[in-house]
Amino acid sequence: MDRPLPRARRPLHLPRLPLIGREEDLVGLEALLRRPTTRMITITGLGGIGKTRLALEFAGRLATSGPTSVVELASVSDVAFVVPSVAEALGVATVDGTDAIAAIDAAIGGRGAVLVLDNLEHLPGVGHVVLELLAAVADLRVVATSRLPLAVTGEHVWHVQPLGLPDEATGRRAASLPGATGASRDHDTGRTGRTDRTDRTDRTDGADRADGAVELFRSVAEAVDARFVLDETNRADVVAVCRRLGGHPLAIELAAARIRSLGPAALRRELERRSSLPVLTNRSTDAPDRHRDLGTAFAWSHERLDDDARLLMRRLAVFEDWATLDAIDDVCRDPGATSDDSDDLLDAIAPLVDHHLVDTEHDELDTRYRLAPPLRDVAKALLADDPIDHRRTHAAHEDHFVRLSCAAAADIDEPGGHRHLPLLVAAHDDLLVILERAIDRGDAAVAADVVVALSWSWTHHGLFGVHRDLLEQTSSLPGLDQVDPAVRLALHGWRLVVGAKLGDRHRGPVVTMAEAEADGTDDRLRVARVSMLLQAVKAAVIATDLVAATSAADEALAVAAGVDDRWTARAEAIAGMVANVRADTDTARRLGLASLDRARRTGDDKTVIRAGLLLRPLVSAGLVDESVHAVPSLDDMFRIARRLGDPETLDWVWPTIAVAALERGDRTGAVRHCADALATRRPGGASVEFLCAAVLGVAAVVDDPATTALVHGMLADRWRMVGNLLLPAHRAVYDLAVERARDRLGDSFDEVSRAAAARPWSASVDMLLEYAEVVSGRRPHPSDPAAATGAATPDSVLATLTPRETEILRHLARGHTNKEISQLVSSSPKTVMHHTTAIYRKLGVRGRTEAAAIAHRSGLLETDRLV
């Protein structure tokens, strides 16, 4: 009978929490180890990322199916002591003259044993010692942990990523960091294979989906303060903290350990307003020295960098997010360096990537780099220690992004200019910091250039309600009258649109001031003036001021006539749309046909679509002969928009196609278009409002008043921020749906709407996408248990709820938070959380909104009122 495998010494610092957010790593490691060719895996990652904790959990799982031992080598100071330490930890007796490797082989060889060697990064040449063990001990497999790969033949590398992060607005898990896959590398061949990881989410509370980062915070916070409960009142703060720390486990543990003295809101403020270093320190007496604080956790890697890599690391701290190699070269290059020195940059950044101090993301066009989020404060402190380099690097950073923003803003309204938008979106955080600094020091020129560029990004993301004050602060800076007049015009144009979206009524003085600044004959200023006037038209239409819209459109036509045909065609299309809204179909027809002809002659496909959208209703009404004027069909316009790749143009076409299908009675086709558009939407795009109205109209057709009430609540809050952008015909569909649903639901209509208004906007659009796919038949309704089980109905599933669960579901459907429900039913918020989780499981739904829809659809609240 085989002797049992000697038990290895376990680390003294035992984990006090369950492993969180690493199930995919464990599954991937297990699959990798099962490969016949795998005898050695090295788990690598940034200091504090959780390599040891993952290895211990992996070892525990392996121990259930075969002999497994763990050897902790952090205290071993010389590579010569590795094998003796392994033998000692295994309890293998050696005598003088007996080789330790031979003794280990005699004890465990040929038994398919797994040896976990923890903390090898500080031992140069240890990889060759591991190879000796593998060569001498039959069937032995080794799992090692190290901040760096051991770089030996046959090594498979598993890179541990930060924990999953939720989107700050929705609470949903964000896309994994680029490269968030397990990677194995055969150093003899250079081949890299990847094990894909599926997106895994857990539940913690209500409709929110938890993830690894938030769940780790919750677990640590509950361990240090039994009174702590993660709920709707503090989740946003916890999510912000986890995002601020980049999902780094050690940083999150250190932050959560402060929960008794700070609380989530105060902790978030402390991390956002100053360096995180004083906050993120470990007061636990048994914590390893390397985990005492973030600076110590990263010190080992920093000490092993050469001078060039250290200099680059601290300079990278000026970037707020991802940066291309060109941007890094432009900002971080030493004064006097030339482009021929690019190889030096690559040599400096490579060890930062190898040590996991810098993250990378790749696409088909470029590679971007980002200092690991928890390391940024460390690097900032190092940069601040050199005041001269600190000033030089920040000045270079500002110069680079101001030049980028000016170039993008100048061309973004030209044909093909939409390709600049991703650049501005990617640079948003850096530009925002530069703008705030420029406002603080009263630099009107820099502030105006940057805020105009940022306005395009804010439109893309629907963020004007958040950043509108920066527009106003820039507009009131001393010295603005010395700024380039074209930039001032663009600034005033954005102020008009934003003011109208947010309900301002004082547009006149701003327009007058902007017009006065545009006097002159300079073609560049004329173009800027036309652009500003077209913004004024848009602002007036949003504010339903057709007199102001007509006036601005007429002036735009007059000014554009002195510029070129392309701007004239654009002005004609927009002026024609204003005429159409005024029911002046003769003027709309004349301007639309003129715009279509000019746009075709100048090759401006975007304006061809704009004119086509103006003319299509006139074709349907028999006012335009389609065969004579060759007005593009909706399908033609859609193909052109897809070919252009311009998200704004698609925003114009999608809702028109969807509503046209709805008006034809093609309910399935309309909703299919809605689903396609919502699935490819751009954040903040105006089309989302149109599409929601189209979906709402379908909801009325299919007799679903609960969903109509939900959508109404979502849109009411959204329109408060960005204005009601529906055309009259679309508004009629919307109003009819709301009226029918209100008649059906009575008072509960407003209750459902209020609950929906409390949802984050992007989460609401996700729900609409789900609903549209259900109605169009692409998937069964997740809110309908019959779809999941093939038998159960909403009523029968509700019957499975306990009386307390039924009571909580009623409160939940009325829009109460878990904390409010706990007061209403005299239970703790945690108990309510457990009840809601059970309710979602029994109903077969994914969260609060779907459960509320079932409650209303089944008349649960009406039954409650009768009782």
Side-chain angles (χ1 to χ4, degrees):
M1 185 173 63
D2 289 340
R3 292 180 290 106
L5 185 70
R7 294 182 62 83
R9 182 178 62 216
R10 296 275 179 170
L12 295 177
H13 184 63
L14 297 177
R16 58 187 175 85
L17 296 170
L19 185 66
I20 293 170
R22 297 300 188 194
E23 185 63 32
E24 294 165 12
D25 290 279
L26 292 168
V27 171
L29 284 168
E30 185 177 3
L32 182 57
L33 196 62
R34 280 201 304 265
R35 295 181 188 175
T37 57
T38 302
R39 294 195 64 197
M40 177 184 178
I41 299 174
T42 304
I43 300 174
T44 70
L46 186 63
I49 201 69
K51 301 181 293 295
T52 294
R53 185 66 188 86
L54 175 63
L56 290 177
E57 184 73 18
F58 187 42
R61 294 196 179 191
L62 293 174
T64 63
S65 57
T68 305
S69 294
V70 179
V71 182
E72 208 281 336
L73 296 169
S75 60
V76 175
S77 58
D78 192 305
V79 69
F81 300 127
V82 170
V83 172
S85 297
V86 171
E88 179 186 357
L90 290 171
V92 176
T94 61
V95 296
D96 291 341
T98 301
D99 183 79
I101 290 183
I104 294 172
D105 181 36
I108 66 174
R111 302 172 59 188
V114 177
L115 188 61
V116 178
L117 303 179
D118 188 33
N119 285 303
L120 299 184
E121 62 264 8
H122 63 294
L123 297 169
V126 70
H128 297 289
V129 175
V130 174
L131 287 185
E132 288 181 32
L133 275 170
L134 291 171
V137 183
D139 291 339
L140 175 67
R141 291 170 294 169
V142 170
V143 176
T145 70
S146 174
R147 298 192 188 189
L148 293 172
L150 303 186
V152 294
T153 302
E155 177 186 36
H156 296 257
V157 179
W158 189 269
H159 179 199
V160 182
Q161 294 283 349
L163 293 172
L165 288 165
D167 177 83
E168 195 161 10
T170 67
R172 291 177 180 268
R173 177 171 176 163
S176 299
L177 284 175
T181 55
S184 63
R185 183 172 179 83
D186 297 316
H187 285 279
D188 52 342
T189 64
R191 290 179 289 108
T192 298
R194 294 195 176 272
T195 304
D196 293 334
R197 304 180 184 184
T198 57
D199 185 33
R200 186 180 69 86
T201 56
D202 302 309
R203 304 181 188 277
T204 56
D205 189 23
D208 294 322
R209 295 182 183 179
D211 62 278
V214 172
E215 179 64 12
L216 176 62
F217 187 101
R218 182 195 64 77
S219 297
V220 176
E222 288 181 350
V224 300
D225 184 359
R227 298 171 301 175
F228 175 80
V229 175
L230 178 65
D231 58 24
E232 294 163 353
T233 65
N234 58 25
R235 180 174 172 82
D237 291 321
V238 171
V239 167
V241 168
C242 292
R243 291 183 61 80
R244 172 74 170 76
L245 301 176
H248 186 270
L250 175 60
I252 292 172
E253 286 195 37
L254 296 176
R258 296 274 187 173
I259 203 67
R260 288 186 64 190
S261 58
L262 288 175
L267 178 61
R268 176 182 183 177
R269 287 195 300 270
E270 286 296 306
L271 291 176
E272 289 178 345
R273 75 182 184 182
R274 63 174 184 164
S275 170
S276 62
L277 297 181
V279 179
L280 303 181
T281 56
N282 198 331
R283 294 175 292 174
S284 176
T285 59
D286 64 336
D289 289 341
R290 65 185 185 276
H291 290 170
R292 290 291 182 185
D293 56 62
L294 285 186
T296 302
F298 304 140
W300 184 90
S301 295
H302 183 260
E303 290 168 359
R304 281 152 181 78
L305 300 174
D306 61 28
D307 290 342
D308 289 341
R310 291 181 185 179
L311 178 64
L312 179 59
M313 188 191 83
R314 63 177 183 257
R315 287 178 176 175
L316 286 173
V318 300
F319 290 97
E320 296 295 317
D321 208 337
W322 300 96
T324 64
L325 199 61
D326 288 341
I328 295 172
D329 189 27
D330 198 18
V331 172
C332 300
R333 180 193 304 171
D334 282 325
T338 66
S339 57
D340 295 334
D341 298 320
S342 58
D343 289 344
D344 295 338
L345 175 63
L346 293 175
D347 290 340
I349 206 167
L352 297 179
V353 174
D354 291 341
H355 281 268
H356 313 291
L357 301 172
V358 166
D359 299 324
T360 60
E361 69 172 7
H362 313 283
D363 59 28
E364 65 277 8
L365 300 176
D366 212 342
T367 295
R368 285 168 290 275
Y369 303 84
R370 180 184 66 175
L371 205 61
L375 182 59
R376 290 193 69 238
D377 285 336
V378 177
K380 283 182 177 180
L382 293 171
L383 183 60
D385 287 340
D386 186 343
I388 294 176
D389 196 41
H390 183 272
R391 288 193 296 271
R392 188 217 68 81
T393 306
H394 277 86
H397 174 262
E398 179 174 302
D399 180 67
H400 170 82
F401 281 100
V402 170
R403 283 189 283 108
L404 180 149
S405 63
C406 288
D411 293 337
I412 200 167
D413 220 15
E414 301 295 325
H418 64 276
R419 295 182 178 87
H420 291 288
L421 184 58
L423 297 177
L424 293 176
V425 172
H428 177 271
D429 290 347
D430 290 279
L431 290 172
L432 189 60
V433 168
I434 291 169
L435 172 61
E436 291 171 342
R437 289 174 180 163
I439 291 174
D440 287 343
R441 67 174 186 263
D443 191 335
V446 169
D449 282 334
V450 173
V451 83
V452 167
L454 278 172
S455 293
W456 290 101
S457 179
W458 292 338
T459 296
H460 180 82
H461 284 290
L463 292 175
F464 275 124
V466 178
H467 296 303
R468 184 265 191 95
D469 61 319
L470 294 175
L471 269 173
E472 298 303 322
Q473 291 177 45
T474 302
S475 300
S476 61
L477 285 175
L480 189 67
D481 57 336
Q482 302 301 313
V483 172
D484 182 349
V487 176
R488 290 202 307 270
L489 284 168
L491 174 60
H492 292 317
W494 284 115
R495 290 183 68 204
L496 290 171
V497 173
V498 175
K501 284 187 174 184
L502 300 182
D504 285 356
R505 298 296 177 182
H506 53 277
R507 298 178 308 281
V510 179
V511 175
T512 302
M513 178 173 59
E515 290 170 349
E517 291 179 344
D519 290 341
T521 58
D522 188 312
D523 282 348
R524 177 169 165 272
L525 292 186
R526 285 183 174 180
V527 168
R529 188 178 181 188
V530 174
S531 179
M532 185 278 298
L533 287 166
L534 294 181
Q535 291 276 60
V537 174
K538 181 179 180 180
V541 170
I542 292 173
T544 66
D545 187 343
L546 295 184
V547 174
T550 302
S551 175
D554 290 344
E555 187 171 357
L557 281 170
V559 178
V563 180
D564 59 30
D565 276 356
R566 186 173 58 83
W567 278 98
T568 299
R570 186 177 300 184
E572 286 171 335
I574 293 176
M577 291 180 179
V578 174
N580 192 40
V581 174
R582 296 195 327 262
D584 183 354
T585 53
D586 289 340
T587 301
R589 176 182 181 277
R590 174 178 58 81
L591 290 173
L593 291 174
S595 174
L596 182 62
D597 180 59
R598 288 184 203 272
R600 281 176 169 156
R601 284 191 283 109
T602 58
D604 185 355
D605 285 338
K606 189 170 181 176
T607 303
V608 166
I609 292 176
R610 200 191 298 257
L613 291 173
L614 166 63
L615 293 170
R616 286 312 307 178
L618 302 180
V619 170
S620 300
L623 301 176
V624 172
D625 189 333
E626 184 175 17
S627 61
V628 174
H629 298 287
V631 178
S633 66
L634 288 176
D635 287 343
D636 289 338
M637 287 186 276
F638 179 70
R639 282 192 291 269
I640 295 172
R642 290 294 294 266
R643 177 171 52 80
L644 288 175
D646 181 1
E648 183 182 24
T649 307
L650 281 170
D651 277 352
W652 301 340
V653 178
W654 274 121
T656 306
I657 293 176
V659 173
L662 188 62
E663 291 172 345
R664 293 195 307 270
D666 181 6
R667 184 187 72 206
T668 301
V671 182
R672 186 173 294 118
H673 289 306
C674 291
D676 290 339
L678 287 169
T680 58
R681 68 189 184 278
R682 66 183 180 97
S687 69
V688 172
E689 280 76 11
F690 293 114
L691 289 163
C692 289
V695 174
L696 187 63
V698 175
V701 173
V702 299
D703 196 24
D704 190 349
T707 300
T708 303
L710 288 168
V711 177
H712 179 64
M714 298 170 192
L715 289 179
D717 184 65
R718 181 65 172 178
W719 282 332
R720 180 180 59 79
M721 293 294 296
V722 301
N724 184 340
L725 304 179
L726 294 182
L727 295 176
H730 302 162
R731 182 73 196 203
V733 173
Y734 177 89
D735 290 341
L736 178 60
V738 171
E739 181 181 350
R740 289 176 176 174
R742 194 183 295 277
D743 288 343
R744 286 285 307 279
L745 293 180
D747 293 341
S748 62
F749 179 93
D750 291 329
E751 294 178 5
V752 177
S753 293
R754 282 194 297 271
R759 291 174 58 92
W761 172 247
S762 53
S764 299
V765 177
D766 285 339
M767 190 279 287
L768 287 169
L769 170 59
E770 178 182 289
Y771 176 79
E773 289 180 338
V774 167
V775 175
S776 61
R778 290 181 173 175
R779 61 171 168 170
H781 201 306
S783 301
D784 185 357
T789 66
T793 65
D795 289 336
S796 64
V797 174
L798 285 177
T800 68
L801 301 182
T802 66
R804 175 51 62 94
E805 289 170 349
T806 302
E807 180 184 10
I808 288 175
L809 178 58
R810 288 193 182 106
H811 292 304
L812 182 150
R814 293 192 180 97
H816 295 303
T817 65
N818 279 10
K819 186 173 183 179
E820 292 169 341
I821 295 173
S822 70
Q823 296 169 349
L824 291 168
V825 300
S826 301
S827 295
S828 70
K830 184 177 290 188
T831 299
V832 173
M833 180 189 73
H834 292 314
H835 281 305
T836 56
T837 300
I839 291 168
Y840 301 152
R841 183 180 65 253
K842 291 179 179 181
L843 296 184
V845 301
R846 297 188 299 177
R848 178 178 295 266
T849 300
E850 295 173 6
I854 287 185
H856 286 284
R857 194 174 296 124
S858 302
L860 183 62
L861 270 65
E862 296 169 8
T863 303
D864 187 38
R865 283 194 292 270
L866 290 174
V867 174

